[in-house]
Amino acid sequence: MKTSDVPEGARRQWRADRALRPAMRSPGRPEPSRVVQREFWRQIATGVSSAD
């Protein structure tokens, strides 16, 4: 449905609802996979630095 198909009163209400809604938070960067995390810590345990 396009916004032009919606009555003006409904669009005005949508805008009003959005104005009261708090901003959505960004979820941030996704976590590395479990396999990647395990490999990272396995290498740290063997003495490899985290920068490597």
Side-chain angles (χ1 to χ4, degrees):
M1 174 179 349
K2 297 185 310 189
T3 56
S4 60
D5 297 339
V6 178
E8 176 59 33
R11 278 187 278 159
R12 188 178 10 242
Q13 185 61 50
W14 288 343
R15 286 192 298 265
D17 290 344
R18 287 193 65 174
L20 298 174
R21 189 179 311 148
M24 292 181 65
R25 291 179 41 106
S26 170
R29 184 176 182 169
E31 289 288 319
S33 72
R34 200 80 167 139
V35 172
V36 170
Q37 289 180 9
R38 285 189 178 141
E39 180 61 20
F40 171 80
W41 288 112
R42 188 187 67 73
Q43 290 187 20
I44 293 296
T46 63
V48 176
S49 74
S50 61
D52 294 336

mmCIF file of all heavy atoms in Angstrom:
data_model
loop_
_atom_site.group_PDB
_atom_site.id
_atom_site.type_symbol
_atom_site.label_atom_id
_atom_site.label_comp_id
_atom_site.label_asym_id
_atom_site.label_seq_id
_atom_site.Cartn_x
_atom_site.Cartn_y
_atom_site.Cartn_z
ATOM 1 N N MET A 1 0.849 -1.170 0.000
ATOM 2 C CA MET A 1 0.000 0.000 0.000
ATOM 3 C C MET A 1 0.898 1.238 0.000
ATOM 4 O O MET A 1 1.816 1.348 0.789
ATOM 5 C CB MET A 1 -0.894 -0.020 1.247
ATOM 6 C CG MET A 1 -1.678 1.236 1.363
ATOM 7 S SD MET A 1 -2.854 1.490 2.722
ATOM 8 C CE MET A 1 -3.096 0.027 3.538
ATOM 9 N N LYS A 2 0.606 2.157 -0.895
ATOM 10 C CA LYS A 2 1.376 3.402 -0.968
ATOM 11 C C LYS A 2 0.763 4.417 -0.006
ATOM 12 O O LYS A 2 -0.422 4.350 0.319
ATOM 13 C CB LYS A 2 1.340 3.956 -2.394
ATOM 14 C CG LYS A 2 1.999 3.028 -3.403
ATOM 15 C CD LYS A 2 2.076 3.624 -4.781
ATOM 16 C CE LYS A 2 0.751 4.171 -5.243
ATOM 17 N NZ LYS A 2 0.704 4.567 -6.625
ATOM 18 N N THR A 3 1.577 5.365 0.445
ATOM 19 C CA THR A 3 1.049 6.388 1.355
ATOM 20 C C THR A 3 0.009 7.252 0.661
ATOM 21 O O THR A 3 -0.872 7.792 1.307
ATOM 22 C CB THR A 3 2.167 7.282 1.919
ATOM 23 O OG1 THR A 3 2.885 7.857 0.841
ATOM 24 C CG2 THR A 3 3.076 6.499 2.814
ATOM 25 N N SER A 4 0.095 7.372 -0.667
ATOM 26 C CA SER A 4 -0.902 8.173 -1.386
ATOM 27 C C SER A 4 -2.270 7.490 -1.362
ATOM 28 O O SER A 4 -3.282 8.139 -1.581
ATOM 29 C CB SER A 4 -0.452 8.418 -2.820
ATOM 30 O OG SER A 4 -0.281 7.192 -3.498
ATOM 31 N N ASP A 5 -2.315 6.179 -1.087
ATOM 32 C CA ASP A 5 -3.579 5.444 -1.005
ATOM 33 C C ASP A 5 -4.223 5.555 0.376
ATOM 34 O O ASP A 5 -5.354 5.136 0.566
ATOM 35 C CB ASP A 5 -3.359 3.955 -1.298
ATOM 36 C CG ASP A 5 -2.856 3.712 -2.712
ATOM 37 O OD1 ASP A 5 -3.057 4.600 -3.566
ATOM 38 O OD2 ASP A 5 -2.255 2.642 -2.949
ATOM 39 N N VAL A 6 -3.499 6.122 1.330
ATOM 40 C CA VAL A 6 -3.968 6.209 2.711
ATOM 41 C C VAL A 6 -4.570 7.595 2.938
ATOM 42 O O VAL A 6 -4.010 8.598 2.506
ATOM 43 C CB VAL A 6 -2.788 5.978 3.692
ATOM 44 C CG1 VAL A 6 -3.245 6.101 5.116
ATOM 45 C CG2 VAL A 6 -2.168 4.617 3.436
ATOM 46 N N PRO A 7 -5.707 7.661 3.613
ATOM 47 C CA PRO A 7 -6.313 8.978 3.881
ATOM 48 C C PRO A 7 -5.364 9.879 4.676
ATOM 49 O O PRO A 7 -4.572 9.415 5.488
ATOM 50 C CB PRO A 7 -7.554 8.647 4.718
ATOM 51 C CG PRO A 7 -7.753 7.176 4.589
ATOM 52 C CD PRO A 7 -6.476 6.562 4.157
ATOM 53 N N GLU A 8 -5.475 11.178 4.437
ATOM 54 C CA GLU A 8 -4.584 12.161 5.080
ATOM 55 C C GLU A 8 -4.649 12.070 6.610
ATOM 56 O O GLU A 8 -3.631 12.178 7.281
ATOM 57 C CB GLU A 8 -4.944 13.580 4.626
ATOM 58 C CG GLU A 8 -4.143 14.664 5.306
ATOM 59 C CD GLU A 8 -2.633 14.555 5.095
ATOM 60 O OE1 GLU A 8 -2.219 14.104 4.016
ATOM 61 O OE2 GLU A 8 -1.886 14.913 6.023
ATOM 62 N N GLY A 9 -5.814 11.826 7.174
ATOM 63 C CA GLY A 9 -5.941 11.744 8.630
ATOM 64 C C GLY A 9 -5.117 10.609 9.209
ATOM 65 O O GLY A 9 -4.495 10.743 10.260
ATOM 66 N N ALA A 10 -5.091 9.485 8.523
ATOM 67 C CA ALA A 10 -4.302 8.331 8.986
ATOM 68 C C ALA A 10 -2.818 8.649 8.907
ATOM 69 O O ALA A 10 -2.052 8.304 9.806
ATOM 70 C CB ALA A 10 -4.632 7.093 8.160
ATOM 71 N N ARG A 11 -2.388 9.299 7.811
ATOM 72 C CA ARG A 11 -0.970 9.656 7.689
ATOM 73 C C ARG A 11 -0.567 10.632 8.784
ATOM 74 O O ARG A 11 0.511 10.536 9.342
ATOM 75 C CB ARG A 11 -0.696 10.274 6.309
ATOM 76 C CG ARG A 11 -0.517 9.225 5.242
ATOM 77 C CD ARG A 11 -0.089 9.834 3.955
ATOM 78 N NE ARG A 11 -1.295 10.336 3.298
ATOM 79 C CZ ARG A 11 -1.317 11.256 2.360
ATOM 80 N NH1 ARG A 11 -0.223 11.816 1.937
ATOM 81 N NH2 ARG A 11 -2.450 11.628 1.806
ATOM 82 N N ARG A 12 -1.442 11.561 9.114
ATOM 83 C CA ARG A 12 -1.146 12.534 10.174
ATOM 84 C C ARG A 12 -0.992 11.804 11.508
ATOM 85 O O ARG A 12 -0.105 12.103 12.294
ATOM 86 C CB ARG A 12 -2.270 13.571 10.239
ATOM 87 C CG ARG A 12 -1.965 14.718 11.158
ATOM 88 C CD ARG A 12 -3.052 15.786 11.197
ATOM 89 N NE ARG A 12 -4.285 15.413 10.538
ATOM 90 C CZ ARG A 12 -4.792 16.057 9.484
ATOM 91 N NH1 ARG A 12 -4.201 17.079 8.963
ATOM 92 N NH2 ARG A 12 -5.936 15.660 8.950
ATOM 93 N N GLN A 13 -1.837 10.790 11.751
ATOM 94 C CA GLN A 13 -1.743 10.015 12.992
ATOM 95 C C GLN A 13 -0.450 9.230 13.038
ATOM 96 O O GLN A 13 0.191 9.147 14.075
ATOM 97 C CB GLN A 13 -2.942 9.071 13.127
ATOM 98 C CG GLN A 13 -2.961 8.323 14.440
ATOM 99 C CD GLN A 13 -3.042 9.251 15.634
ATOM 100 O OE1 GLN A 13 -3.890 10.140 15.677
ATOM 101 N NE2 GLN A 13 -2.168 9.078 16.598
ATOM 102 N N TRP A 14 -0.042 8.639 11.916
ATOM 103 C CA TRP A 14 1.224 7.916 11.869
ATOM 104 C C TRP A 14 2.377 8.837 12.230
ATOM 105 O O TRP A 14 3.267 8.467 12.984
ATOM 106 C CB TRP A 14 1.473 7.341 10.478
ATOM 107 C CG TRP A 14 0.598 6.175 10.114
ATOM 108 C CD1 TRP A 14 -0.137 5.381 10.956
ATOM 109 C CD2 TRP A 14 0.363 5.685 8.804
ATOM 110 N NE1 TRP A 14 -0.813 4.430 10.255
ATOM 111 C CE2 TRP A 14 -0.517 4.581 8.911
ATOM 112 C CE3 TRP A 14 0.799 6.054 7.537
ATOM 113 C CZ2 TRP A 14 -0.949 3.866 7.820
ATOM 114 C CZ3 TRP A 14 0.366 5.337 6.444
ATOM 115 C CH2 TRP A 14 -0.502 4.254 6.590
ATOM 116 N N ARG A 15 2.367 10.043 11.673
ATOM 117 C CA ARG A 15 3.448 10.998 11.980
ATOM 118 C C ARG A 15 3.426 11.358 13.464
ATOM 119 O O ARG A 15 4.467 11.452 14.102
ATOM 120 C CB ARG A 15 3.324 12.244 11.105
ATOM 121 C CG ARG A 15 3.738 12.011 9.676
ATOM 122 C CD ARG A 15 3.894 13.304 8.913
ATOM 123 N NE ARG A 15 2.663 14.070 8.825
ATOM 124 C CZ ARG A 15 1.814 14.028 7.803
ATOM 125 N NH1 ARG A 15 2.049 13.255 6.773
ATOM 126 N NH2 ARG A 15 0.721 14.759 7.813
ATOM 127 N N ALA A 16 2.246 11.530 14.023
ATOM 128 C CA ALA A 16 2.133 11.860 15.442
ATOM 129 C C ALA A 16 2.655 10.714 16.309
ATOM 130 O O ALA A 16 3.364 10.929 17.290
ATOM 131 C CB ALA A 16 0.687 12.179 15.796
ATOM 132 N N ASP A 17 2.300 9.479 15.933
ATOM 133 C CA ASP A 17 2.774 8.318 16.686
ATOM 134 C C ASP A 17 4.291 8.215 16.633
ATOM 135 O O ASP A 17 4.945 7.901 17.621
ATOM 136 C CB ASP A 17 2.163 7.030 16.139
ATOM 137 C CG ASP A 17 0.681 6.904 16.438
ATOM 138 O OD1 ASP A 17 0.185 7.641 17.309
ATOM 139 O OD2 ASP A 17 0.020 6.073 15.787
ATOM 140 N N ARG A 18 4.858 8.463 15.473
ATOM 141 C CA ARG A 18 6.317 8.379 15.330
ATOM 142 C C ARG A 18 7.009 9.467 16.143
ATOM 143 O O ARG A 18 8.101 9.263 16.645
ATOM 144 C CB ARG A 18 6.711 8.498 13.860
ATOM 145 C CG ARG A 18 6.365 7.257 13.084
ATOM 146 C CD ARG A 18 7.012 7.245 11.770
ATOM 147 N NE ARG A 18 8.456 7.179 11.961
ATOM 148 C CZ ARG A 18 9.331 7.031 11.003
ATOM 149 N NH1 ARG A 18 8.920 6.924 9.768
ATOM 150 N NH2 ARG A 18 10.612 6.976 11.240
ATOM 151 N N ALA A 19 6.389 10.627 16.261
ATOM 152 C CA ALA A 19 7.000 11.718 17.012
ATOM 153 C C ALA A 19 7.124 11.367 18.492
ATOM 154 O O ALA A 19 8.039 11.835 19.167
ATOM 155 C CB ALA A 19 6.180 12.999 16.840
ATOM 156 N N LEU A 20 6.217 10.542 19.007
ATOM 157 C CA LEU A 20 6.234 10.177 20.428
ATOM 158 C C LEU A 20 7.076 8.942 20.704
ATOM 159 O O LEU A 20 7.422 8.662 21.836
ATOM 160 C CB LEU A 20 4.798 9.923 20.908
ATOM 161 C CG LEU A 20 3.862 11.124 20.815
ATOM 162 C CD1 LEU A 20 2.450 10.717 21.180
ATOM 163 C CD2 LEU A 20 4.359 12.257 21.691
ATOM 164 N N ARG A 21 7.399 8.206 19.656
ATOM 165 C CA ARG A 21 8.152 6.968 19.810
ATOM 166 C C ARG A 21 9.623 7.286 20.034
ATOM 167 O O ARG A 21 10.190 8.104 19.321
ATOM 168 C CB ARG A 21 7.985 6.138 18.538
ATOM 169 C CG ARG A 21 8.540 4.751 18.636
ATOM 170 C CD ARG A 21 8.325 3.959 17.366
ATOM 171 N NE ARG A 21 6.943 4.040 16.922
ATOM 172 C CZ ARG A 21 6.564 4.006 15.657
ATOM 173 N NH1 ARG A 21 7.446 3.895 14.704
ATOM 174 N NH2 ARG A 21 5.293 4.075 15.350
ATOM 175 N N PRO A 22 10.285 6.646 20.991
ATOM 176 C CA PRO A 22 11.719 6.896 21.171
ATOM 177 C C PRO A 22 12.509 6.376 19.968
ATOM 178 O O PRO A 22 12.055 5.466 19.269
ATOM 179 C CB PRO A 22 12.075 6.112 22.434
ATOM 180 C CG PRO A 22 10.994 5.106 22.591
ATOM 181 C CD PRO A 22 9.761 5.679 21.941
ATOM 182 N N ALA A 23 13.648 6.960 19.728
ATOM 183 C CA ALA A 23 14.496 6.539 18.621
ATOM 184 C C ALA A 23 14.904 5.090 18.801
ATOM 185 O O ALA A 23 15.164 4.639 19.916
ATOM 186 C CB ALA A 23 15.723 7.433 18.542
ATOM 187 N N MET A 24 14.965 4.363 17.706
ATOM 188 C CA MET A 24 15.388 2.962 17.775
ATOM 189 C C MET A 24 16.898 2.914 17.973
ATOM 190 O O MET A 24 17.630 3.646 17.325
ATOM 191 C CB MET A 24 15.014 2.228 16.496
ATOM 192 C CG MET A 24 13.525 2.053 16.332
ATOM 193 S SD MET A 24 13.094 1.160 14.836
ATOM 194 C CE MET A 24 13.788 -0.432 15.185
ATOM 195 N N ARG A 25 17.325 2.078 18.879
ATOM 196 C CA ARG A 25 18.760 1.919 19.130
ATOM 197 C C ARG A 25 19.364 1.005 18.087
ATOM 198 O O ARG A 25 18.750 0.039 17.664
ATOM 199 C CB ARG A 25 18.986 1.336 20.513
ATOM 200 C CG ARG A 25 18.636 2.277 21.638
ATOM 201 C CD ARG A 25 18.864 1.614 22.983
ATOM 202 N NE ARG A 25 20.077 0.835 23.009
ATOM 203 C CZ ARG A 25 21.200 1.190 23.645
ATOM 204 N NH1 ARG A 25 21.221 2.307 24.312
ATOM 205 N NH2 ARG A 25 22.255 0.417 23.620
ATOM 206 N N SER A 26 20.576 1.311 17.712
ATOM 207 C CA SER A 26 21.292 0.445 16.788
ATOM 208 C C SER A 26 21.752 -0.792 17.546
ATOM 209 O O SER A 26 22.247 -0.690 18.669
ATOM 210 C CB SER A 26 22.514 1.170 16.234
ATOM 211 O OG SER A 26 23.339 0.299 15.515
ATOM 212 N N PRO A 27 21.617 -1.962 16.952
ATOM 213 C CA PRO A 27 22.075 -3.169 17.641
ATOM 214 C C PRO A 27 23.595 -3.265 17.699
ATOM 215 O O PRO A 27 24.134 -4.101 18.400
ATOM 216 C CB PRO A 27 21.489 -4.303 16.805
ATOM 217 C CG PRO A 27 21.286 -3.719 15.466
ATOM 218 C CD PRO A 27 21.011 -2.252 15.678
ATOM 219 N N GLY A 28 24.281 -2.396 16.964
ATOM 220 C CA GLY A 28 25.736 -2.414 16.982
ATOM 221 C C GLY A 28 26.296 -3.493 16.070
ATOM 222 O O GLY A 28 25.593 -4.101 15.279
ATOM 223 N N ARG A 29 27.565 -3.714 16.219
ATOM 224 C CA ARG A 29 28.248 -4.696 15.385
ATOM 225 C C ARG A 29 27.870 -6.101 15.840
ATOM 226 O O ARG A 29 27.879 -6.388 17.030
ATOM 227 C CB ARG A 29 29.748 -4.479 15.516
ATOM 228 C CG ARG A 29 30.571 -5.372 14.635
ATOM 229 C CD ARG A 29 32.027 -5.027 14.767
ATOM 230 N NE ARG A 29 32.799 -5.868 13.879
ATOM 231 C CZ ARG A 29 34.057 -5.669 13.608
ATOM 232 N NH1 ARG A 29 34.704 -4.666 14.164
ATOM 233 N NH2 ARG A 29 34.693 -6.470 12.788
ATOM 234 N N PRO A 30 27.581 -6.994 14.889
ATOM 235 C CA PRO A 30 27.236 -8.364 15.297
ATOM 236 C C PRO A 30 28.434 -9.076 15.925
ATOM 237 O O PRO A 30 29.582 -8.812 15.577
ATOM 238 C CB PRO A 30 26.825 -9.045 14.001
ATOM 239 C CG PRO A 30 27.145 -8.127 12.896
ATOM 240 C CD PRO A 30 27.522 -6.800 13.466
ATOM 241 N N GLU A 31 28.146 -9.958 16.850
ATOM 242 C CA GLU A 31 29.189 -10.745 17.503
ATOM 243 C C GLU A 31 29.815 -11.700 16.486
ATOM 244 O O GLU A 31 29.121 -12.207 15.608
ATOM 245 C CB GLU A 31 28.581 -11.566 18.636
ATOM 246 C CG GLU A 31 28.159 -10.747 19.830
ATOM 247 C CD GLU A 31 29.337 -10.236 20.621
ATOM 248 O OE1 GLU A 31 30.314 -10.992 20.814
ATOM 249 O OE2 GLU A 31 29.279 -9.077 21.050
ATOM 250 N N PRO A 32 31.119 -11.976 16.626
ATOM 251 C CA PRO A 32 31.717 -13.015 15.767
ATOM 252 C C PRO A 32 31.076 -14.368 16.073
ATOM 253 O O PRO A 32 30.574 -14.587 17.168
ATOM 254 C CB PRO A 32 33.189 -13.035 16.149
ATOM 255 C CG PRO A 32 33.393 -11.989 17.167
ATOM 256 C CD PRO A 32 32.087 -11.383 17.524
ATOM 257 N N SER A 33 31.120 -15.259 15.112
ATOM 258 C CA SER A 33 30.510 -16.576 15.320
ATOM 259 C C SER A 33 31.214 -17.313 16.461
ATOM 260 O O SER A 33 32.351 -16.999 16.830
ATOM 261 C CB SER A 33 30.586 -17.411 14.040
ATOM 262 O OG SER A 33 31.923 -17.821 13.819
ATOM 263 N N ARG A 34 30.552 -18.299 16.990
ATOM 264 C CA ARG A 34 31.098 -19.094 18.100
ATOM 265 C C ARG A 34 32.405 -19.774 17.683
ATOM 266 O O ARG A 34 33.345 -19.857 18.466
ATOM 267 C CB ARG A 34 30.036 -20.135 18.476
ATOM 268 C CG ARG A 34 30.196 -20.701 19.807
ATOM 269 C CD ARG A 34 29.662 -19.758 20.854
ATOM 270 N NE ARG A 34 29.581 -20.494 22.083
ATOM 271 C CZ ARG A 34 29.918 -20.008 23.245
ATOM 272 N NH1 ARG A 34 30.311 -18.775 23.345
ATOM 273 N NH2 ARG A 34 29.844 -20.744 24.319
ATOM 274 N N VAL A 35 32.449 -20.245 16.437
ATOM 275 C CA VAL A 35 33.657 -20.913 15.936
ATOM 276 C C VAL A 35 34.828 -19.925 15.920
ATOM 277 O O VAL A 35 35.946 -20.266 16.342
ATOM 278 C CB VAL A 35 33.396 -21.469 14.511
ATOM 279 C CG1 VAL A 35 34.667 -21.988 13.890
ATOM 280 C CG2 VAL A 35 32.340 -22.546 14.556
ATOM 281 N N VAL A 36 34.584 -18.702 15.466
ATOM 282 C CA VAL A 36 35.639 -17.686 15.412
ATOM 283 C C VAL A 36 36.102 -17.344 16.828
ATOM 284 O O VAL A 36 37.302 -17.228 17.092
ATOM 285 C CB VAL A 36 35.144 -16.424 14.669
ATOM 286 C CG1 VAL A 36 36.115 -15.269 14.809
ATOM 287 C CG2 VAL A 36 34.891 -16.735 13.202
ATOM 288 N N GLN A 37 35.160 -17.198 17.755
ATOM 289 C CA GLN A 37 35.532 -16.888 19.144
ATOM 290 C C GLN A 37 36.392 -17.997 19.748
ATOM 291 O O GLN A 37 37.400 -17.723 20.408
ATOM 292 C CB GLN A 37 34.276 -16.688 19.996
ATOM 293 C CG GLN A 37 33.534 -15.414 19.693
ATOM 294 C CD GLN A 37 32.301 -15.267 20.575
ATOM 295 O OE1 GLN A 37 32.082 -16.027 21.519
ATOM 296 N NE2 GLN A 37 31.481 -14.274 20.261
ATOM 297 N N ARG A 38 35.999 -19.238 19.543
ATOM 298 C CA ARG A 38 36.769 -20.359 20.101
ATOM 299 C C ARG A 38 38.178 -20.415 19.524
ATOM 300 O O ARG A 38 39.147 -20.651 20.244
ATOM 301 C CB ARG A 38 36.039 -21.670 19.835
ATOM 302 C CG ARG A 38 34.850 -21.850 20.729
ATOM 303 C CD ARG A 38 34.268 -23.228 20.599
ATOM 304 N NE ARG A 38 33.143 -23.374 21.507
ATOM 305 C CZ ARG A 38 32.034 -24.016 21.207
ATOM 306 N NH1 ARG A 38 31.903 -24.589 20.039
ATOM 307 N NH2 ARG A 38 31.063 -24.096 22.075
ATOM 308 N N GLU A 39 38.286 -20.197 18.217
ATOM 309 C CA GLU A 39 39.603 -20.212 17.577
ATOM 310 C C GLU A 39 40.470 -19.072 18.110
ATOM 311 O O GLU A 39 41.660 -19.253 18.362
ATOM 312 C CB GLU A 39 39.448 -20.111 16.051
ATOM 313 C CG GLU A 39 40.742 -20.112 15.297
ATOM 314 C CD GLU A 39 41.579 -21.369 15.476
ATOM 315 O OE1 GLU A 39 41.042 -22.425 15.880
ATOM 316 O OE2 GLU A 39 42.800 -21.311 15.210
ATOM 317 N N PHE A 40 39.868 -17.887 18.291
ATOM 318 C CA PHE A 40 40.594 -16.744 18.840
ATOM 319 C C PHE A 40 41.178 -17.095 20.209
ATOM 320 O O PHE A 40 42.376 -16.926 20.445
ATOM 321 C CB PHE A 40 39.657 -15.543 18.963
ATOM 322 C CG PHE A 40 40.247 -14.379 19.717
ATOM 323 C CD1 PHE A 40 41.114 -13.499 19.103
ATOM 324 C CD2 PHE A 40 39.942 -14.178 21.062
ATOM 325 C CE1 PHE A 40 41.659 -12.425 19.796
ATOM 326 C CE2 PHE A 40 40.484 -13.119 21.770
ATOM 327 C CZ PHE A 40 41.347 -12.233 21.129
ATOM 328 N N TRP A 41 40.347 -17.612 21.110
ATOM 329 C CA TRP A 41 40.818 -17.916 22.457
ATOM 330 C C TRP A 41 41.794 -19.098 22.475
ATOM 331 O O TRP A 41 42.706 -19.138 23.291
ATOM 332 C CB TRP A 41 39.642 -18.163 23.405
ATOM 333 C CG TRP A 41 38.934 -16.869 23.695
ATOM 334 C CD1 TRP A 41 37.691 -16.516 23.296
ATOM 335 C CD2 TRP A 41 39.462 -15.743 24.404
ATOM 336 N NE1 TRP A 41 37.408 -15.228 23.719
ATOM 337 C CE2 TRP A 41 38.481 -14.740 24.411
ATOM 338 C CE3 TRP A 41 40.675 -15.487 25.039
ATOM 339 C CZ2 TRP A 41 38.666 -13.503 25.024
ATOM 340 C CZ3 TRP A 41 40.861 -14.244 25.646
ATOM 341 C CH2 TRP A 41 39.863 -13.270 25.630
ATOM 342 N N ARG A 42 41.633 -20.040 21.541
ATOM 343 C CA ARG A 42 42.587 -21.140 21.445
ATOM 344 C C ARG A 42 43.966 -20.601 21.083
ATOM 345 O O ARG A 42 44.975 -20.983 21.682
ATOM 346 C CB ARG A 42 42.127 -22.150 20.387
ATOM 347 C CG ARG A 42 42.952 -23.428 20.357
ATOM 348 C CD ARG A 42 42.592 -24.329 19.202
ATOM 349 N NE ARG A 42 42.945 -23.747 17.906
ATOM 350 C CZ ARG A 42 44.203 -23.638 17.426
ATOM 351 N NH1 ARG A 42 45.221 -24.056 18.133
ATOM 352 N NH2 ARG A 42 44.428 -23.113 16.242
ATOM 353 N N GLN A 43 44.011 -19.658 20.158
ATOM 354 C CA GLN A 43 45.289 -19.073 19.750
ATOM 355 C C GLN A 43 45.880 -18.204 20.861
ATOM 356 O O GLN A 43 47.082 -18.189 21.080
ATOM 357 C CB GLN A 43 45.137 -18.283 18.461
ATOM 358 C CG GLN A 43 44.891 -19.187 17.265
ATOM 359 C CD GLN A 43 44.917 -18.431 15.955
ATOM 360 O OE1 GLN A 43 45.448 -17.340 15.860
ATOM 361 N NE2 GLN A 43 44.352 -19.059 14.930
ATOM 362 N N ILE A 44 45.036 -17.468 21.586
ATOM 363 C CA ILE A 44 45.514 -16.663 22.715
ATOM 364 C C ILE A 44 46.169 -17.581 23.754
ATOM 365 O O ILE A 44 47.219 -17.281 24.302
ATOM 366 C CB ILE A 44 44.351 -15.865 23.357
ATOM 367 C CG1 ILE A 44 43.831 -14.793 22.389
ATOM 368 C CG2 ILE A 44 44.762 -15.236 24.691
ATOM 369 C CD1 ILE A 44 44.811 -13.707 22.024
ATOM 370 N N ALA A 45 45.546 -18.737 23.999
ATOM 371 C CA ALA A 45 46.090 -19.688 24.980
ATOM 372 C C ALA A 45 47.450 -20.237 24.557
ATOM 373 O O ALA A 45 48.251 -20.608 25.417
ATOM 374 C CB ALA A 45 45.100 -20.840 25.183
ATOM 375 N N THR A 46 47.714 -20.263 23.254
ATOM 376 C CA THR A 46 49.006 -20.766 22.789
ATOM 377 C C THR A 46 50.068 -19.671 22.777
ATOM 378 O O THR A 46 51.224 -19.939 22.443
ATOM 379 C CB THR A 46 48.905 -21.370 21.381
ATOM 380 O OG1 THR A 46 48.528 -20.367 20.456
ATOM 381 C CG2 THR A 46 47.921 -22.521 21.324
ATOM 382 N N GLY A 47 49.700 -18.444 23.138
ATOM 383 C CA GLY A 47 50.684 -17.378 23.235
ATOM 384 C C GLY A 47 50.638 -16.348 22.121
ATOM 385 O O GLY A 47 51.421 -15.386 22.122
ATOM 386 N N VAL A 48 49.739 -16.493 21.159
ATOM 387 C CA VAL A 48 49.607 -15.513 20.083
ATOM 388 C C VAL A 48 48.974 -14.257 20.661
ATOM 389 O O VAL A 48 48.039 -14.337 21.472
ATOM 390 C CB VAL A 48 48.731 -16.077 18.938
ATOM 391 C CG1 VAL A 48 48.500 -15.059 17.850
ATOM 392 C CG2 VAL A 48 49.348 -17.338 18.379
ATOM 393 N N SER A 49 49.468 -13.063 20.285
ATOM 394 C CA SER A 49 48.882 -11.828 20.812
ATOM 395 C C SER A 49 47.569 -11.539 20.087
ATOM 396 O O SER A 49 47.351 -11.968 18.948
ATOM 397 C CB SER A 49 49.842 -10.643 20.627
ATOM 398 O OG SER A 49 49.883 -10.251 19.280
ATOM 399 N N SER A 50 46.695 -10.801 20.736
ATOM 400 C CA SER A 50 45.403 -10.485 20.137
ATOM 401 C C SER A 50 45.551 -9.588 18.910
ATOM 402 O O SER A 50 44.694 -9.576 18.035
ATOM 403 C CB SER A 50 44.467 -9.844 21.156
ATOM 404 O OG SER A 50 45.033 -8.648 21.628
ATOM 405 N N ALA A 51 46.652 -8.825 18.830
ATOM 406 C CA ALA A 51 46.891 -7.977 17.666
ATOM 407 C C ALA A 51 47.206 -8.825 16.425
ATOM 408 O O ALA A 51 46.908 -8.433 15.298
ATOM 409 C CB ALA A 51 48.033 -7.016 17.941
ATOM 410 N N ASP A 52 47.834 -9.979 16.661
ATOM 411 C CA ASP A 52 48.161 -10.874 15.536
ATOM 412 C C ASP A 52 46.909 -11.526 15.014
ATOM 413 O O ASP A 52 46.703 -11.755 13.902
ATOM 414 C CB ASP A 52 49.158 -11.956 15.959
ATOM 415 C CG ASP A 52 50.518 -11.357 16.317
ATOM 416 O OD1 ASP A 52 50.841 -10.258 15.846
ATOM 417 O OD2 ASP A 52 51.243 -12.029 17.077
#
